[in-house]
């Protein structure tokens, strides 16, 4: 599948800045036309006809020959049709600005780390997520102490009260997300959260034009353990926050939290990816395409560490020594 | 490079300002010649070995050492050794610490004043060590050392510094008096050479920039992938938290008490200056043996 412009025939892409389909050739907006190939499996570019080998799980990509953005029909259909999507709200220029603001104090980063030449290689990708709804029922029993101390005359009094604490709590969780992409590191994707669900929409394939996308790599049941773990942990935290002011809390071993799945949805969520290569090592950065939250470790230039650290040390040494000598002379 | 210069602009400005002040103070300091108004009224002799504990060559050696030290610190350094029942001389009948202190102090101060010692002027900058050998090592001993200070030395020396000098003397006096008196001269000289040092010791001036730079580097090296910005309530359906049971039942209670013991604190004493019979301000302190 490819989106073309009705006015000039160029490739139309979704523009996060405009929140519309856009033709970068003639500047037209929302003048798209969808071309769907008759072939059951995409093996050639519908635009230039070049034979293409599509990486496993990839559902939207750029043709390496004609640079047009293609969507693999069979990977967004049937069981692979996403229920929901959050379209990109941040374009590449927005993300460049966010990165430069975020790392403006990272003085030890290599000089070209935030250069246009490097940042232009950023790719926007729709990452597949499973979203789970849960009904959680938690039981807690334990004993805790409350200790109060006061002084009267020349005596100090300590009152110890021992309580039996009982909680039976029910809570519903809505759309606990777990990424279903093998190439995306789980812990990093967890740090991408939260996505604002107010922008969740029913899936439309036009949003994929102009970006990369993956279909889910793992099924809903395969990934559920991570979601259950998140819901269970959150429910336990909520229950614990209702138990206040106790010291020496002793929990009963019979305490439990039961998690029951009530629904699940397959969604695509927007993530920008910047791969910075420095001294043969890749430093991946992920930027939430909706909120702009950045996750990634800044590379360090050893030369800069020495230059900045050395300058500061020598400068201060000179300043302090001169001040010391001035005081000796005065 | 541009980023580097911009980042350290505050440091370069600070360096510039301090350098200008440094040069100005240096010029003023080097043009200010210290007036050598040496006091001529005092005798040139500095070692008065009335107890005869030093050989002639040791006395000469001490005189040379004192002369060299005096040039460095611009203070008179005098040594007096006696072997006399000093307590009785000052009219006391019992050999108490107070009587000994008073007698030694007066003897030392009077000796300094009567000989018009003082580097810059009569009764000016200087120190005098009085060492009494009388009946040392016996139960009737009046042996011990007293350090009398005057002028700049009086201003500079605290009680603990006087104690330090006397400790240096005590370390050798039992078996090598010459070494003990040399220690007195060297100890006073060393302390007076640091007279103009700022309150902060120089090693600290060197260490602090390294510490600040270390902290600066460590802070910038701290490299976190990202912060977790979800809470336990992020995915909770609004108004869906429901407690079927939420009880905190008191099952036991007890009160204990202890008596608060009242503490007491002790105080310390300090030394101060005094006026000699000639009306000159002196400081000082002594160690009995």
């Amino acid at each position: 599948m490819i989106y073309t412009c009705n006015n000039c025939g160029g490739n139309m892409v979704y523009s996060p800045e405009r929140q519309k389909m856009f033709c970068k050739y003639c500047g037209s907006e929302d003048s798209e036309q969808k071309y769907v190939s008759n072939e059951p499996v995409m093996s050639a570019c519908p635009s230039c006809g070049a034979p293409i080998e599509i990486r496993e799980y990839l559902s939207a990509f750029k043709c390496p020959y004609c640079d047009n953005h293609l969507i693999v029909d069979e990977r967004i259909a049937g069981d692979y049709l996403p229920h929901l999507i959050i379209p990109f709200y941040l374009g590449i220029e927005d993300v460049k600005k966010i990165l430069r603001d975020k790392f403006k104090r990272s003085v030890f980063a290599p000089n070209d780390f935030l250069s246009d030449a490097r940042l232009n290689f950023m790719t926007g990708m729709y990452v597949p997520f499973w979203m789970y709804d849960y009904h959680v029922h938690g039981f807690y029993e334990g004993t805790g102490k409350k200790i109060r101390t006061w002084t009267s005359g020349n005596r100090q009094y300590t009152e110890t009260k021992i309580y039996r604490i009982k909680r039976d709590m029910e809570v519903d969780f809505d759309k606990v997300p777990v990424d279903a992409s093998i190439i995306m590191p789980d812990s990093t994707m967890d740090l991408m959260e939260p996505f604002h669900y107010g922008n969740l929409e029913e899936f439309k394939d036009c949003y994929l034009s102009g970006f990369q996308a993956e279909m889910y790599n793992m099924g809903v049941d395969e990934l559920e353990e991570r979601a259950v773990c998140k819901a269970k942990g959150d429910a336990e935290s909520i229950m614990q926050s209702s138990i206040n002011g106790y010291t020496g809390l002793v929990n009963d071993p019979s305490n439990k939290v039961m998690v029951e799945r009530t629904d699940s949805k397959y969604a695509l969520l927007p993530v920008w990816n910047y791969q910075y290569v420095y001294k043969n090592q890749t430093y991946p950065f992920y930027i939430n395409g909706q909120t702009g939250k950045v996750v990634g470790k800044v590379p360090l230039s050893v030369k800069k560490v020495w230059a900045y650290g050395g300058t500061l040390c020598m400068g201060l040494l000179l300043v302090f020594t001169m001040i010391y000598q001035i005081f000796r002379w005065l | 490079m541009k980023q580097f210069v911009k980042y350290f602009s505050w440091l370069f400005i600070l360096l510039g300002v301090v350098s200008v002040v440094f040069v100005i103070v240096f010029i003023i300091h080097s043009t200010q010649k210290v007036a050598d108004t040496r006091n001529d009224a005092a005798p040139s002799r500095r070692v008065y070995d009335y107890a005869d504990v030093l050989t002639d060559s040791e006395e000469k050696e001490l005189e040379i050492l004192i002369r060299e030290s005096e040039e460095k610190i611009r203070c008179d350094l005098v040594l007096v050794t006696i072997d006399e029942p000093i307590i009785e001389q000052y009219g006391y009948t019992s050999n108490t610490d107070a009587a000994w202190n008073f007698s030694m102090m007066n003897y030392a101060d009077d000796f300094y004043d009567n000989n018009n010692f003082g580097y810059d002027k009569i009764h000016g900058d200087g120190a005098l060590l009085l060492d009494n050998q009388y009946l040392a090592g016996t139960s009737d001993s009046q042996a011990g050392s007293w350090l009398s200070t005057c002028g700049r030395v009086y201003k500079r020396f605290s009680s603990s510094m006087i104690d330090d000098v006397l400790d240096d003397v005590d370390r050798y006096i039992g078996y090598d008096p010459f070494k003990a008196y040399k220690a007195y001269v060297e100890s006073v000289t060393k302390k007076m050479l640091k007279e103009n040092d700022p309150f902060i010791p120089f090693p600290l001036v060197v260490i602090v920039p390294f510490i600040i730079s270390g902290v600066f580097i460590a802070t910038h090296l701290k490299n976190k992938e990202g912060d977790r910005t979800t809470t336990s309530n992020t995915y909770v359906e609004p108004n869906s938290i429901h407690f079927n049971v939420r009880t905190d039942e008191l099952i036991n209670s007890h009160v204990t008490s202890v008596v608060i013991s009242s503490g007491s604190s002790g105080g310390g004493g300090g030394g101060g200056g005094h006026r000699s019979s000639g009306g000159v301000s002196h400081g000082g302190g002594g160690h009995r043996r």
Side-chain angles (χ1 to χ4, degrees):
Chain A
M1 182 194 302
I2 181 168
Y3 276 91
T4 55
C5 175
N6 260 335
N7 298 326
C8 71
N11 183 205
M12 275 206 108
V13 294
Y14 179 73
S15 162
E17 293 90 350
R18 294 172 181 79
Q19 295 286 297
K20 284 175 181 169
M21 292 300 280
F22 176 69
C23 176
K24 60 185 172 184
Y25 302 100
C26 68
S28 303
E29 289 181 348
D30 282 343
S31 61
E32 75 274 13
Q33 188 183 13
K34 184 157 67 172
Y35 170 77
V36 182
S37 158
N38 293 328
E39 300 213 7
V41 176
M42 186 191 273
S43 57
C45 172
S47 178
C48 68
I52 40 177
E53 203 174 303
I54 308 165
R55 178 170 64 77
E56 197 182 11
Y57 304 125
L58 210 57
S59 56
F61 64 101
K62 200 162 67 164
C63 171
Y65 302 101
C66 65
D67 273 355
N68 282 329
H69 292 275
L70 311 175
I71 298 162
V72 187
D73 305 62
E74 65 272 18
R75 292 185 181 176
I76 54 164
D79 286 346
Y80 296 111
L81 177 68
H83 302 115
L84 301 164
I85 189 167
I86 295 178
F88 273 90
Y89 277 80
L90 299 168
I92 193 164
E93 293 305 321
D94 300 321
V95 176
K96 280 183 194 174
K97 192 176 173 303
I98 288 168
L99 284 171
R100 285 178 180 139
D101 281 349
K102 165 111 180 157
F103 297 117
K104 67 181 170 195
R105 288 183 196 281
S106 302
V107 289
F108 296 157
N111 287 335
D112 66 343
F113 170 54
L114 296 172
S115 68
D116 262 339
R118 295 280 197 145
L119 290 173
N120 283 337
F121 285 100
M122 261 192 299
T123 50
M125 181 172 173
Y126 283 102
V127 179
F129 276 79
W130 284 107
M131 293 176 160
Y132 301 84
D133 293 351
Y134 288 116
H135 177 76
V136 180
H137 200 159
F139 302 91
Y140 175 86
E141 283 196 35
T143 51
K145 288 179 194 166
K146 282 189 177 175
I147 296 168
R148 188 167 70 95
T149 306
W150 71 95
T151 306
S152 176
N154 68 338
R155 294 191 84 83
Q156 188 181 56
Y157 295 87
T158 304
E159 179 192 61
T160 307
K161 286 181 172 178
I162 299 170
Y163 288 85
R164 184 74 187 153
I165 305 151
K166 288 183 186 172
R167 298 286 184 271
D168 175 348
M169 184 196 78
E170 288 179 68
V171 58
D172 292 324
F173 286 92
D174 179 38
K175 297 185 183 66
V176 178
V178 174
D179 79 280
S181 168
I182 293 166
I183 59 164
M184 291 296 182
D186 291 346
S187 58
T188 307
M189 286 302 108
D190 286 348
L191 288 175
M192 287 269 85
E193 297 171 28
F195 288 88
H196 297 152
Y197 289 163
N199 297 125
L200 264 177
E201 294 179 25
E202 211 168 286
F203 177 73
K204 285 180 200 153
D205 51 27
C206 64
Y207 288 140
L208 304 192
S209 185
F211 299 96
Q212 269 194 19
E214 270 196 349
M215 61 187 212
Y216 61 80
N217 304 182
M218 289 157 279
V220 66
D221 296 328
E222 221 177 321
L223 286 174
E224 190 170 14
E225 202 183 318
R226 276 182 63 207
V228 167
C229 202
K230 282 185 182 183
K232 223 173 173 174
D234 287 351
E236 279 167 354
S237 292
I238 293 166
M239 206 144 62
Q240 283 298 327
S241 65
S242 74
I243 303 165
N244 297 317
Y246 290 103
T247 55
L249 213 55
V250 179
N251 304 331
D252 286 6
S254 59
N255 293 336
K256 60 183 174 185
V257 175
M258 294 181 302
V259 180
E260 180 199 345
R261 187 164 97 197
T262 52
D263 197 6
S264 64
K265 291 274 190 288
Y266 166 38
L268 297 181
L269 301 181
V271 174
W272 282 98
N273 180 212
Y274 173 38
Q275 301 276 337
Y276 179 75
V277 181
Y278 179 65
K279 295 208 186 265
N280 298 324
Q281 199 183 329
T282 303
Y283 294 85
F285 288 84
Y286 298 93
I287 304 100
N288 186 317
Q290 182 198 28
T291 64
K293 185 181 175 186
V294 180
V295 176
K297 282 186 177 176
V298 187
L300 295 172
S301 157
V302 178
K303 227 162 63 177
K304 277 189 144 186
V305 173
W306 280 109
Y308 278 72
T311 304
L312 182 68
C313 186
M314 287 303 116
L316 290 178
L317 195 63
L318 267 171
V319 168
F320 288 178
T321 310
M322 281 195 284
I323 291 173
Y324 184 83
Q325 190 56 45
I326 289 168
F327 275 103
R328 289 195 70 187
W329 284 335
L330 288 175
Chain B
M1 192 65 189
K2 204 172 140 191
Q3 187 199 14
F4 175 83
V5 174
K6 195 177 160 193
Y7 192 83
F8 282 118
S9 55
W10 63 272
L11 183 63
F12 298 140
I13 291 168
L14 183 68
L15 253 173
V17 171
V18 175
S19 302
V20 169
V21 176
F22 181 82
V23 171
I24 293 169
V25 176
F26 172 74
I27 292 167
I28 294 169
H29 178 77
S30 54
T31 52
Q32 267 180 349
K33 281 208 183 292
V34 180
D36 197 0
T37 53
R38 181 123 204 203
N39 167 27
D40 295 329
S44 58
R45 188 179 166 194
R46 293 288 184 269
V47 180
Y48 298 85
D49 185 22
Y50 299 131
D52 203 20
V53 290
L54 298 168
T55 63
D56 288 349
S57 64
E58 285 174 339
E59 278 185 37
K60 272 181 197 159
E61 205 178 315
L62 266 178
E63 287 279 2
I64 293 165
L65 178 68
I66 287 172
R67 204 164 303 129
E68 286 169 358
S69 297
E70 284 182 351
E71 286 305 310
K72 285 185 206 161
I73 61 173
R74 297 178 174 273
C75 298
D76 279 357
L77 295 175
V78 184
L79 170 68
V80 182
T81 68
I82 55 172
D83 191 357
E84 298 172 18
I86 196 163
I87 289 172
E88 288 79 1
Q89 281 178 25
Y90 279 86
Y92 294 99
T93 50
S94 57
N95 186 357
T96 61
D97 284 351
W100 184 87
N101 280 337
F102 192 75
S103 309
M104 290 290 280
M105 181 183 81
N106 283 334
Y107 189 106
D109 292 352
D110 290 347
F111 196 94
Y112 191 90
D113 295 352
N114 296 339
N115 286 287
N116 294 328
F117 284 118
Y119 188 90
D120 53 333
K121 59 178 184 189
I122 296 169
H123 306 155
D125 308 332
L128 182 147
L129 181 76
L130 173 64
D131 190 48
N132 192 358
Q133 299 283 335
Y134 188 68
L135 297 177
T138 68
S139 57
D140 295 324
S141 168
Q142 290 185 29
S145 310
W146 184 272
L147 182 70
S148 171
T149 57
C150 196
R152 270 174 42 237
V153 187
Y154 164 50
K155 281 184 193 157
R156 163 84 178 138
F157 272 59
S158 62
S159 301
S160 68
M161 286 165 83
I162 290 171
D163 269 342
D164 283 349
V165 175
L166 293 172
D167 284 344
D168 290 340
V169 172
D170 288 348
R171 201 165 299 132
Y172 307 110
I173 196 74
Y175 64 95
D176 190 348
F178 171 68
K179 215 170 172 184
Y181 304 143
K182 247 178 93 172
Y184 145 67
V185 176
E186 284 162 356
S187 186
V188 173
T189 306
K190 198 173 151 193
K191 285 178 169 56
M192 285 309 292
L193 282 174
K194 288 183 180 169
E195 189 184 9
N196 291 329
D197 283 4
F199 181 69
I200 299 164
F202 186 70
L204 209 64
V205 172
V206 178
I207 292 165
V208 167
F210 281 94
I211 293 171
I212 292 173
S213 307
V215 171
F216 166 78
I217 290 172
T219 313
H220 283 78
L221 285 181
K222 206 172 68 183
N223 205 351
K224 235 173 128 186
E225 195 180 15
D227 293 318
R228 188 168 290 279
T229 45
T230 52
T231 66
S232 52
N233 285 303
T234 301
Y235 300 109
V236 171
E237 193 95 57
N239 305 318
S240 74
I241 300 172
H242 178 69
F243 281 95
N244 301 318
V245 178
R246 186 175 182 165
T247 58
D248 297 60
E249 188 189 336
L250 181 66
I251 52 173
N252 192 6
S253 172
H254 60 268
V255 176
T256 57
S257 72
V258 288
V259 176
I260 303 164
S261 60
S262 60
S264 62
S265 59
H274 56 271
R275 276 187 185 278
S276 64
S277 56
V280 181
S281 289
H282 285 272
H287 282 187
R288 284 196 82 167
R289 294 195 292 275

